[in-house]
């Protein structure tokens, strides 16, 4: 049997729905350039760790500015299940903001660097309106719709007042869920989290003083804490999780 070990799961890049990706060339365009962390890939990685009996603790190494709210929730839900099995320790790198902080909420203990950009507990949504660009390029797109709000994110026209009200309702619902996640994780009142939220950004040192992280430190301290929580010896090995994990059908087939 394998020796007990601590897994280090890197959670880095912009949070997206779908598969993780790390393009060879970093194009400075949102959702196109830079490293991307997909919920499908992360959930598979988490499931694989849950099946590994030798994994006794997990360090989540977070370096992410956030992204998709639904992808963040999917990852968080999977990590909450993992946390029922093994201790979770978060180590924040350069940035752990918005969704990057959201996915830290399942942790038993959170470390941040003094200058880590963290917090940004808030929600924003918008769409690009490209009708003038289409006109200049002589494009005339036509949308086939079923339902008056089916094309709510279509770039041809701005939101109607009804659509704007629906977007605000959606944003407020996600924000309420966000602050509730933080309140449950940090054992705070939702009113207190709201005062620290609203999109406000903190340094790691300020986040510690505000109760959003537990201690200042890096990966070395995170590994030591994970071993301590898992009651492992100080020299217990660690292993970095690489790859996207096996697709769910393969996992189901193996179990059968």
């Amino acid at each position: 049997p394998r020796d007990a070990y601590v897994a280090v799961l890197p959670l880095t890049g912009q949070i997206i729905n779908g598969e993780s990706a790390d393009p060879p060339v970093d194009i400075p365009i949102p959702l196109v350039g830079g490293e991307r962390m997909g919920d499908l890939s992360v959930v598979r990685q988490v499931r694989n760790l849950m099946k590994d009996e030798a994994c006794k603790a997990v360090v989540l190494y977070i370096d992410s500015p956030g992204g998709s709210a639904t992808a963040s929730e999917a990852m968080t839900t999977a990590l909450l299940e993992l946390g029922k099995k093994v201790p979770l320790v978060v180590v924040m790198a350069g940035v752990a903001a918005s969704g990057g902080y959201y996915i830290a909420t399942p942790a038993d203990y959170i470390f941040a660097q003094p200058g880590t950009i963290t917090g940004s507990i808030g929600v924003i949504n918008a769409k690009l309106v490209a009708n003038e660009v289409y006109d200049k390029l002589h494009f005339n797109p036509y949308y086939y719709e079923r339902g008056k709000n089916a094309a709510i994110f279509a770039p041809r026209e701005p939101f109607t007042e009804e659509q704007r009200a629906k977007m605000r309702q959606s944003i407020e619902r996600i924000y309420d869920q966000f602050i509730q996640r933080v309140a449950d994780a940090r054992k705070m009142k939702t009113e207190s989290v709201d005062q620290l939220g609203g999109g406000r950004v903190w340094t790691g040192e300020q986040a510690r003083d505000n109760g959003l992280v537990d201690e200042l430190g890096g990966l070395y301290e995170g590994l030591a804490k994970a071993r301590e929580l898992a009651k492992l010896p100080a020299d217990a090995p660690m292993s970095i999780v690489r790859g996207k994990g096996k697709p769910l059908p393969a996992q189901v087939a193996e179990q059968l």
Side-chain angles (χ1 to χ4, degrees), residues 3 51 133 182 190 215:
D3 292 334
K51 291 179 7 180
V133 175
V182 177
T190 54
E215 191 176 338

Side-chain angles (χ1 to χ4, degrees), residues 218-251:
L219 188 57
Y220 180 85
E221 289 79 10
L223 286 167
K225 174 58 73 171
R227 294 184 179 108
E228 175 192 330
L229 293 176
K231 297 180 172 57
L232 294 174
D235 60 350
M238 57 81 74
S239 177
I240 300 176
V241 178
R242 302 184 186 278
K244 300 179 182 179
K246 298 178 182 179
L248 183 58
Q251 291 178 324

Side-chain angles (χ1 to χ4, degrees), residues 32 46 192:
V32 177
V46 170
S192 300

Side-chain angles (χ1 to χ4, degrees), residues 4-246:
Y5 75 98
V6 176
V8 177
L9 177 59
L11 299 175
T12 57
Q14 182 164 300
I15 297 173
I16 63 169
N17 298 95
E19 299 281 356
S20 299
D22 189 8
V25 179
D26 187 0
I27 304 173
I29 301 176
L31 303 178
V32 177
E35 188 175 7
R36 302 190 290 278
M37 179 192 350
D39 58 343
L40 294 182
S41 301
V42 171
V43 169
R44 286 201 297 263
Q45 290 172 326
V46 170
R47 285 174 174 159
N48 289 337
L49 289 172
M50 291 178 68
K51 291 179 7 180
D52 188 350
E53 294 299 326
C55 175
K56 300 301 183 183
V58 178
V59 173
L60 308 174
Y61 184 80
I62 298 177
D63 191 4
S64 172
S68 166
T70 54
S72 299
E73 174 62 18
M75 295 178 195
T76 300
T77 301
L79 290 169
L80 284 168
E81 290 301 311
L82 177 61
K84 296 176 183 178
K85 186 173 184 289
V86 298
L88 300 181
V89 175
V90 161
V91 174
M92 296 177 171
V95 57
S98 192
Y101 188 83
Y102 196 110
I103 60 176
T105 55
D108 299 294
Y109 206 84
I110 299 178
F111 288 92
Q113 300 289 337
T116 299
I117 299 171
T118 189
S120 190
I121 299 167
V123 183
I124 186 171
N125 208 334
K127 72 170 180 177
L128 295 175
V129 179
N131 53 343
E132 292 185 9
V133 175
Y134 287 150
D135 292 341
K136 289 181 179 179
L137 295 176
H138 301 290
F139 286 173
N140 187 29
Y142 185 83
Y143 300 97
Y144 292 90
E145 305 173 23
R146 184 170 183 174
K148 60 181 178 180
N149 291 313
I152 188 170
F153 284 109
R156 182 66 184 178
E157 299 292 341
F159 292 127
T160 65
E161 288 304 314
E162 180 184 2
Q163 291 172 343
R164 191 176 297 276
K166 288 183 179 294
M167 290 303 302
R168 183 175 185 86
Q169 183 181 22
S170 173
I171 289 171
E172 289 177 349
R173 182 185 62 79
I174 296 170
Y175 180 66
D176 288 343
Q177 182 170 306
F178 196 166
I179 62 175
Q180 188 63 58
R181 285 279 191 205
V182 177
D184 293 342
R186 305 306 301 170
K187 297 178 174 57
M188 301 168 65
K189 294 181 178 180
T190 54
E191 294 81 8
S192 300
V193 177
D194 187 28
Q195 291 176 0
L196 298 171
R200 297 174 183 85
V201 177
W202 311 96
T203 65
E205 192 167 6
Q206 290 171 326
R208 179 203 58 187
D209 295 341
N210 287 325
L212 296 178
V213 306
D214 294 293
E215 191 176 338
L216 299 181
L219 188 57
Y220 180 85
E221 289 79 10
L223 286 167
K225 174 58 73 171
R227 294 184 179 108
E228 175 192 330
L229 293 176
K231 297 180 172 57
L232 294 174
D235 60 350
M238 57 81 74
S239 177
I240 300 176
V241 178
R242 302 184 186 278
K244 300 179 182 179
K246 298 178 182 179

